[in-house]
Amino acid sequence: MFSYLARRVLIMIPTLLVISFLIFIIIQLPPGDYLSNKMAELQSQGDQAALDKIAFMRAQYGLDRPFIEQYLVWLGAWPGANGFEGMLQGYMGHSFEYDMPVSEVVGERLWLTIVVSVATIIFTYVVSFPIGVYSAVRQYSVGDHVLTFIGFLGLATPNFLLALVLLYLGNRYLGTEIGGLMDERYIGQPWTWGKFGSIIEHLLVPTIVIGTSGTAGMIRRLRANLLDELQKQYVVTGRAKGLSPGRLLMKYPLRMSLNPFIADIGNILPHIISGAAIVSVVLSLPTTGPMLLQALEAQDQFLAGSFLMQLAALTVIGMFLSDLALAALDPRIRLGAGGTR
């Protein structure tokens, strides 16, 4: 077990380094950058003082250096204007559009994204688990057909379309605006119990909208896995030994069917940062998703690169945790070389 953990950690390090290099290539692919575009705009206006400032910033952040040196400065493996200060040291870079460090730009948006994502994860698991079990145990019943039909609707309906429908219905029949995560009077204000309560009140619609497709997909996977387990010989043997249906279901086939729930950890962690960007734009949610889209459009490379690197790191860590959890949950999975015997 220890050798497996050590091996996986050692593999994660070069994996993240390769990903960071690919991310830096991607954010450098569009011609120019934020400062170059800004210099062209100011040059057309004849603002010499601002041009001098931008030229200084290009030199300060190493944007006038060769490509490899720029990457190493961003990574923190090459001395920049502030010495060795980069991703390896926990410094996510400087946002040119906001003219402040990336960590300060993200600020409250990251916490709000975590709140929305955790609520969505809880909603997905609480709803999909009992429905998936019921559909498998009551296969081809009226309830199974109804829930399967609803599940297909959830899979087929784009989240942003559902968000638009709920916005319309709320405005048309309830006379209220659903968008946002808090009342306007709390925006930009310090955290208070009133602000926290306002966020809780506004969480219902984003949670349902973002979690619908994930819930429908989870129901289908759990139902299929559980049906497959219920048809295996050990279940027939358990029934022959006189085990009650409830005990037999909980002890064996259900436990073996939870693999998709555990395997989805690798997707859940990066989802906390991405925050369903399109839905966040439609519902005017102050999460990190719209900020990532804006950073990509404005070619704010350090802000966009930091976001993408965090997504990659959370994906790698999530896969590592899900592998460990699967090994603990399912005795058929073995870690190390002995698993092939």
Side-chain angles (χ1 to χ4, degrees):
M1 182 66 174
F2 178 78
S3 62
Y4 172 80
L5 293 176
R7 210 165 45 243
R8 283 298 302 269
V9 171
L10 291 176
I11 292 175
M12 288 167 59
I13 295 174
T15 301
L16 290 174
L17 287 175
V18 172
I19 292 175
S20 69
F21 185 72
L22 294 176
I23 288 174
F24 194 77
I25 291 176
I26 291 172
I27 63 178
Q28 293 278 4
L29 280 178
D33 52 43
Y34 181 85
L35 293 180
S36 298
N37 297 335
K38 194 69 176 177
M39 285 183 71
E41 178 184 344
L42 294 173
Q43 194 168 9
S44 63
Q45 300 173 359
D47 192 343
Q48 187 60 42
L51 285 173
D52 294 339
K53 178 183 178 182
I54 290 179
F56 172 77
M57 292 179 66
R58 286 185 61 83
Q60 182 180 13
Y61 293 103
L63 298 180
D64 56 345
R65 302 187 184 189
F67 173 82
I68 294 298
E69 287 189 21
Q70 290 187 40
Y71 166 70
L72 294 176
V73 170
W74 177 66
L75 189 64
W78 191 277
N82 299 320
F84 289 92
E85 192 173 76
M87 299 290 291
L88 295 177
Q89 291 78 31
Y91 178 66
M92 295 187 292
H94 188 88
S95 171
F96 299 122
E97 185 174 6
Y98 295 91
D99 195 20
M100 61 177 64
V102 170
S103 57
E104 296 182 15
V105 174
V106 175
E108 188 179 83
R109 284 177 177 261
L110 181 59
W111 292 107
L112 293 176
T113 302
I114 293 175
V115 170
V116 174
S117 299
V118 169
T120 303
I121 293 168
I122 294 174
F123 170 81
T124 300
Y125 278 55
V126 168
V127 173
S128 61
F129 189 82
I131 293 178
V133 173
Y134 175 85
S135 295
V137 175
R138 307 294 184 193
Q139 187 183 19
Y140 302 135
S141 65
V142 175
D144 180 32
H145 286 299
V146 172
L147 293 172
T148 299
F149 176 73
I150 296 175
F152 281 129
L153 282 181
L155 286 172
T157 304
N159 288 347
F160 68 89
L161 179 60
L162 179 60
L164 291 173
V165 171
L166 291 179
L167 285 174
Y168 171 77
L169 293 177
N171 188 43
R172 173 82 174 178
Y173 298 104
L174 301 179
T176 182
E177 293 290 341
I178 297 178
L181 268 182
M182 65 188 77
D183 294 335
E184 292 185 1
R185 66 178 182 271
Y186 292 117
I187 297 177
Q189 299 299 319
W191 282 91
T192 60
W193 285 110
K195 183 175 181 178
F196 179 76
S198 179
I199 293 175
I200 298 299
E201 291 175 3
H202 286 75
L203 264 181
L204 179 61
V205 172
T207 298
I208 294 175
V209 170
I210 299 174
T212 298
S213 61
T215 301
M218 188 72 74
I219 290 172
R220 301 300 302 167
R221 291 197 297 274
L222 179 59
R223 180 182 183 274
N225 281 16
L226 187 53
L227 283 174
D228 181 60
E229 292 295 330
L230 288 174
Q231 296 172 3
K232 291 186 177 179
Q233 187 63 41
Y234 73 89
V235 178
V236 178
T237 304
R239 290 197 189 102
K241 289 184 175 181
L243 289 176
S244 63
R247 183 181 179 187
L248 177 63
L249 175 68
M250 297 297 294
K251 189 172 182 180
Y252 296 108
L254 183 58
R255 181 183 175 188
M256 298 298 102
S257 303
L258 292 181
N259 288 7
F261 282 77
I262 304 301
D264 270 1
I265 293 176
N267 298 323
I268 288 173
L269 291 182
H271 185 69
I272 290 178
I273 300 297
S274 62
I278 298 178
V279 174
S280 299
V281 172
V282 174
L283 292 176
S284 301
L285 303 180
T287 55
T288 55
M291 182 176 288
L292 173 58
L293 292 178
Q294 185 179 355
L296 293 172
E297 292 174 357
Q299 292 184 276
D300 194 352
Q301 60 189 59
F302 293 127
L303 181 58
S306 298
F307 270 121
L308 295 175
M309 193 62 207
Q310 289 178 49
L311 292 176
L314 287 173
T315 302
V316 172
I317 294 172
M319 293 301 178
F320 175 70
L321 295 177
S322 65
D323 286 347
L324 295 181
L326 283 172
L329 177 71
D330 193 340
R332 295 172 297 181
I333 298 176
R334 292 291 181 265
L335 304 179
T340 59
R341 294 196 295 267

